[in-house]
Amino acid sequence: MTNYVRRLVGSAAREPDPVRLGQGAVALEASGIVLARGGRQVLTDFNLKLHGGELVAIIGPNGVGKSTALSVLAGDVPADSGTVSVLGSDPQSLAPVELARRRAVMTQHHRFPFDFTVTEVVEMGRWAAPTSVGGQRDDTELADALTSADLDGLAERPVTQLSGGERARVAFARTMLQGAPVVLADEPTASLDLRHQHLLMRRLRDRARAGAAVAAVLHDLALAAEYSDRVVLLAPGGATTGAEPVADVLVPERLEDAYGCRIVIGAHPVSGTPVPFFFGS
């Protein structure tokens, strides 16, 4: 690890531990979120209650505010009105290190302008961790994070030499290493091949099963059906009643209203989960 990365990771090592999340506890809550941008209403009465132990998918057509909603939940974008609480605190009121210990965010854009290695970039995910730097526990967690995104063979490769999908996996591993009890991922599978789409979704589901609260923006409705516990459907206008059971959301009538096309619902041949198919305009 370079001296720069050591200073970055170690800068917060003496801070107190964050609030811990109990299984099934409300980890993140958004109520009545309203947000306009450029004179356009993006979110109108957006609501979500996210619990420890579950993975919630946020779906909907382009331009309805899915990524914006995730940014509001993360505390990166303030809402015009409404409230957000992350482990009992308003994210806008928290210092960066405190917020980083409560929630980890994987954005959909992955730019690495410097020639850090994959290992160095992933290790930056520990900058807010309260544990000491350089111990065996850190080495084990780092190795697990690299493996979680299938990066073992790329560990010493400069990130500037990676493909878009490989960079996305680096960003995912860095997010996982952060170890926050709330994980927010914006289109984590967008640039990935089929195998890695399912690998990353399994890792997110595993993190939820271990007690974390996970929300992911997804365009692939089949992935949302297979891996999520509940689904938020954002339609034009940016309003939602909150997260609902998968079977209540992935039905032709609701999806056709949201996406503006005909949709039929099949069943996965192994898991039996609903699989939406485009049927025509």
Side-chain angles (χ1 to χ4, degrees):
M1 180 166 56
T2 65
N3 289 334
Y4 172 79
V5 177
R6 287 187 182 278
R7 290 196 300 271
L8 179 65
V9 174
S11 62
R14 293 182 297 276
E15 298 291 333
D17 287 345
V19 177
R20 298 302 177 187
L21 176 61
Q23 185 83 19
V26 176
L28 185 153
E29 185 170 5
S31 178
I33 299 298
V34 175
L35 178 65
R37 279 185 166 179
R40 182 177 72 90
Q41 198 73 20
V42 181
L43 298 174
T44 305
D45 196 27
F46 178 86
N47 300 277
L48 174 64
K49 188 176 289 188
L50 184 65
H51 302 85
E54 71 171 347
L55 192 163
V56 170
I58 302 175
I59 66 171
N62 292 337
V64 296
K66 299 185 299 298
S67 295
T68 301
L70 206 73
S71 295
V72 172
L73 297 176
D76 294 332
V77 173
D80 295 332
S81 62
T83 61
V84 177
S85 173
V86 180
L87 296 184
S89 298
D90 178 354
Q92 294 291 319
S93 71
L94 297 173
V97 66
E98 297 175 33
L99 185 56
R101 288 181 181 166
R102 284 164 171 77
R103 63 94 182 107
V105 182
M106 177 182 175
T107 62
Q108 61 176 291
H109 303 295
H110 317 293
R111 300 184 180 92
F112 304 111
F114 302 108
D115 279 334
F116 290 116
T117 67
V118 167
T119 296
E120 288 171 337
V121 172
V122 172
E123 199 162 13
M124 290 177 188
R126 288 202 58 80
W127 77 272
T131 54
S132 62
V133 177
Q136 184 62 40
R137 181 184 174 208
D138 291 341
D139 292 341
T140 300
E141 290 175 346
L142 175 60
D144 289 345
L146 291 168
T147 300
S148 75
D150 193 23
L151 292 170
D152 298 286
L154 301 174
E156 301 309 315
R157 182 89 61 85
V159 289
T160 52
Q161 297 179 12
L162 302 182
S163 70
E166 290 167 337
R167 290 196 299 271
R169 284 154 48 201
V170 171
F172 178 84
R174 181 177 60 186
T175 303
M176 298 297 277
L177 185 61
Q178 191 170 327
V182 177
V183 179
L184 306 173
D186 191 1
E187 299 188 33
T189 63
S191 58
L192 302 181
D193 59 55
L194 183 63
R195 183 173 75 87
H196 286 107
Q197 287 178 19
H198 286 271
L199 173 66
L200 265 61
M201 289 306 301
R202 285 197 300 271
R203 297 292 185 257
L204 287 175
R205 185 180 60 188
D206 291 346
R207 179 61 64 91
R209 296 295 178 266
V214 182
V217 172
L218 296 173
H219 276 296
D220 190 322
L221 301 184
L223 289 177
E226 184 169 353
Y227 292 101
S228 62
D229 299 294
R230 295 189 295 152
V231 176
V232 174
L233 175 60
L234 260 178
T240 176
T241 56
E244 302 173 75
V246 174
D248 292 347
V249 178
L250 297 187
V251 295
E253 295 80 8
R254 296 191 65 177
L255 295 179
E256 288 174 356
D257 286 344
Y259 288 91
C261 61
R262 294 186 63 191
I263 292 174
V264 295
I265 304 293
H268 192 284
V270 176
S271 65
T273 56
V275 180
F277 295 96
F278 172 75
F279 191 64
S281 57

